[in-house]
Every structure is written in C-alpha cells, then in structure tokens.
Amino acid sequence: MAICDWPEDERPRERLLARGAACLSDAELLAIFLRVGSKGKSAVDLARELIGGFGGLNRMFATSLADFSAVPGMGPAKYAQLQAVLEMARRALGEELKEEGLTFASPGGVRDYLRLHLASLQHEVFLALWLDAQNRLIATEELFRGTLTQTSVYPREVLKHALRHNAAAVVLAHNHPSGVAEPSRADELLTSELKQVLALIEVRVLDHFIVAGQSPPLSFAERGLL
C-alpha cells in the first residue's frame, strides 16, 4: 500500500508536521527524504531496506557514490542530496558553537558535532576544534589522517596550527573505526604530551574526545584523564 493510502495520522510527513521530527523513526525520516518508494514497496519499506543494507544511517551517509548507486532506485542525484543534508547539519552545529561557545555543562552539541564529522569514517582522523578566549569555535581542522587502526600525530605540527589560528583553547578529537571508544595508553600519553606542549604557548586543552560508532563520544575530561 502506498503511503498516500495510509490513514492520515500514520503518514510520516503528516506526523512530523503535527508532532515534530523527533517522533519519527529513522526509516520514516528517510522516507520523507526519498518521497517515493519503488515497485511494490512504500517509501518507508525502501528506507528500512536502505538502513538495514548499509547497517545504519551513519554508514549510509559514509558510503561511496558507487555503492549507493548500486541500490535500485538510488543514484547520483539522491546521493548528492544526502551529502548536502549531512553537510548542512554539520554547518548548523558549527554555527551554534561559533555563536554560543562550548558549554561543557551541556556538552551534547559538541558531541553531536563530532559524531557528524567522525562517526561514519572507516579510517582514523585526528581533529582539532580551535577556540577563542570565550570558547567560541574559530575553526574545525583535520590535522592528521591515518589507517583503520592508527594515526600518527606530531605535536610540533599541532603547535603550528594553534599559532596560525591564534587560538586560546582547543578540543581534540579522534575516531576509533573499530567501534570501541576506550582510550589506549598511547591515546593517554599523546593527550598529556599535547597538553604540555600547547601550554607553552598558553593554549588550553579543554578536552579530548574519542568517537566510536553510535555510542556517545568518550570525554577524557569526564574520565579524569586530562
């Protein structure tokens, strides 16, 4: 049965307008984006298949154009639209951090921002969120990129970037494609070294987050590791 034949209070778009987007499932939200299904499938059915086939929304957003286009009914146009949605979400959160600053009493926005940047990646990336004296975001910068299991980080290069941005503070972050957020001993030693080096130029390290899969990013500050 097509969605237009469903009772009105069960249709995803009507429910979103009446009750807000948060009440919809992942498949229902994606169905609104897809607009139409395929032969014998509603948009919700197709959305469920897409999410199940890719293993979740994050993996679907991170898939290549070739893999996405291999799904019947999908193609470059839909892929471009999906990537545009993801980038708009990143930029909206970035604007909020620039305007309001980082508030660690309610760090949900920072975690959401980092997850959008890192959670779906299949290789390790080391990021810096450079901040001004009021903890407002100056820039988000990918400093180093590695393999599935490791990234080489060079403190001297981090120092150069801090000076170039004239930063007063920084939030560090990297991802674990394995899905395990626990910090390694190497992660702890690197954080300690970067904190000492950046202190020489009066740049405060406010936190270091590890992003892994769907779980909330792990905070070194909250763990007492900073």
Side-chain angles (χ1 to χ4, degrees), residues 53-193:
F54 286 111
L57 287 174
N58 269 326
R59 291 188 181 276
M60 184 183 69
F61 277 121
T63 193
S64 67
L65 172 59
D67 287 342
F68 187 80
S69 299
V71 178
M74 300 298 106
K78 277 285 188 283
Y79 182 82
Q81 288 176 312
L82 272 178
Q83 295 306 311
V85 167
L86 184 60
E87 185 58 27
M88 282 191 292
R90 288 192 188 109
R91 293 185 187 190
L93 281 169
E95 285 179 5
E96 184 177 327
L97 296 179
K98 285 180 180 178
E99 292 169 2
E100 300 179 7
L102 300 180
T103 56
F104 287 93
S106 54
V110 181
R111 284 189 160 96
D112 289 343
Y113 184 69
L114 291 172
R115 284 184 65 188
L116 280 173
H117 276 274
L118 297 174
S120 61
L121 299 179
Q122 299 304 303
H123 54 273
E124 278 204 10
V125 165
F126 191 88
L127 283 186
L129 277 61
W130 300 113
L131 312 172
D132 66 14
Q134 285 73 47
N135 288 352
R136 291 179 303 227
L137 185 65
I138 299 170
T140 299
E141 193 170 27
E142 179 183 310
L143 298 179
F144 306 101
R145 178 175 293 207
T147 65
L148 178 65
T149 57
Q150 65 179 1
T151 303
S152 297
V153 177
Y154 302 99
R156 181 178 177 180
E157 292 301 314
V158 177
L159 203 67
K160 288 181 183 178
H161 287 271
L163 289 168
R164 188 169 73 235
H165 289 290
N166 195 29
V170 66
V171 171
L172 306 170
H174 75 281
N175 63 316
H176 283 178
S178 65
V180 179
E182 286 300 311
S184 66
R185 182 58 180 158
D187 291 334
E188 294 179 23
L189 291 172
L190 173 64
T191 304
S192 177
E193 183 178 3

